[in-house]
Amino acid sequence: MASEITYAEVKFKNASPAAVAEAPPETKKHEHHPQKYPLCLPWLISLMLLLVCIALIIALLVAPFSRGSDQPTALQQKFKEWQCNSAGLQGKERGWMCCPSGWKLFQKSCYYLSDDKMSWAESEQNCTGMGSHLVVISSKAEQEFLFEELQRASRGENYYIGLSAQKVGQWHWVDKTPFNETAAFWRTREPSNVDDEKCVVIHTRTHQPNNWNDVKCGNQYRVCEAAAVTV
């Protein structure tokens, strides 16, 4: 007789469920991204350097004639060619004293001796148009300088200076400098002080520094004066 096989399900109370293997959390890779610059940056840097160079060149060209002043003088605006000399500076001053080409330098002023004639009023307008005025003589040294220059290069007999009168004998300088009778350089027996002679000239045929003469205000040569430019 065949025997019967019985199966029984056995449970163990202290058994623990099968351990589940847990994989370690996936670590994130930190990728290094290089910093990106605009492609036009080298061009911008080159442009900035170019602009700086241009600014420096302009400063070097313009600065000498604008030193000590924000705006160029009227004389600087009128003339492009200049002659410079270092002899006019004194003491601790350094640099050059400059006048337009063809003008004469004395101390700190530039002088223009005309080669054409005009009335006194037209002469003053002509000097003003060049950024100057009819010469105002303020010292014996200046008078002697003009005397020598006109003796050497004079084309005419009379040269207007910036002295005139509205009324007979009441002399006034064009730049409002007070007229000092003791510092005047009249010729012998001058001024005439007559009603029709109210303008003053340097008379070049007088061979001595005292050579002022009052004359009618018709056409004569002229001497213009302007401050020299320091560079």
Side-chain angles (χ1 to χ4, degrees):
M1 180 175 183
S3 59
E4 296 179 359
I5 298 174
T6 304
Y7 296 91
E9 183 180 350
V10 180
K11 293 183 180 182
F12 300 94
K13 294 181 179 180
N14 296 328
S16 59
V20 179
E22 296 182 0
E26 183 179 357
T27 56
K28 295 183 178 179
K29 296 181 179 180
H30 297 281
E31 297 180 358
H32 178 70
H33 298 285
Q35 187 176 358
K36 295 182 179 179
Y37 295 97
L39 295 177
C40 62
L41 183 61
W43 294 99
L44 290 176
I45 294 175
S46 299
L47 179 60
M48 291 177 65
L49 291 175
L50 177 62
L51 292 175
V52 170
C53 292
I54 293 174
L56 289 174
I57 293 172
I58 292 174
L60 290 174
L61 292 175
V62 175
F65 285 108
S66 59
R67 185 179 301 173
S69 176
D70 293 334
Q71 297 294 331
T73 65
L75 193 69
Q76 289 171 242
Q77 294 174 342
K78 297 293 182 180
F79 296 94
K80 301 300 182 183
E81 295 183 4
W82 294 75
Q83 295 176 333
C84 299
N85 194 317
S86 62
L89 298 178
Q90 301 176 351
K92 296 182 179 180
E93 294 178 300
R94 293 292 184 272
W96 299 78
M97 301 293 289
C98 299
C99 292
S101 294
W103 292 51
K104 308 294 183 180
L105 173 67
F106 177 72
Q107 294 182 350
K108 295 184 178 182
S109 293
C110 303
Y111 300 85
Y112 169 74
L113 313 181
S114 80
D115 56 5
D116 62 334
K117 293 182 177 182
M118 295 181 178
S119 69
W120 191 94
E122 291 171 334
S123 294
E124 174 56 14
Q125 289 177 359
N126 177 261
C127 292
T128 301
M130 293 190 294
S132 61
H133 54 73
L134 282 173
V135 63
V136 174
I137 301 171
S138 57
S139 69
K140 182 179 180 181
E142 185 177 20
Q143 169 68 16
E144 290 177 346
F145 162 77
L146 291 173
F147 168 74
E148 292 175 2
E149 286 295 328
L150 291 173
Q151 289 292 317
R152 180 164 49 246
S154 175
R155 295 180 175 85
E157 183 176 358
N158 294 321
Y159 281 74
Y160 277 131
I161 65 175
L163 191 64
S164 64
Q166 294 294 325
K167 296 182 179 180
V168 174
Q170 296 182 8
W171 303 107
H172 300 279
W173 290 109
V174 291
D175 68 346
K176 309 304 180 183
T177 296
F179 176 70
N180 183 359
E181 185 65 44
T182 61
F185 301 94
W186 297 107
R187 291 174 63 199
T188 304
R189 295 185 295 277
E190 295 292 344
S192 303
N193 283 329
V194 294
D195 190 60
D196 61 346
E197 295 185 359
K198 295 180 180 178
C199 295
V200 179
V201 296
I202 287 177
H203 186 69
T204 62
R205 300 295 184 262
T206 301
H207 298 290
Q208 59 179 350
N210 284 30
N211 56 7
W212 294 3
N213 190 15
D214 57 343
V215 296
K216 297 179 180 180
C217 299
N219 291 343
Q220 304 287 355
Y221 295 93
R222 63 195 173 279
V223 180
C224 302
E225 177 186 9
V229 175
T230 304
V231 299

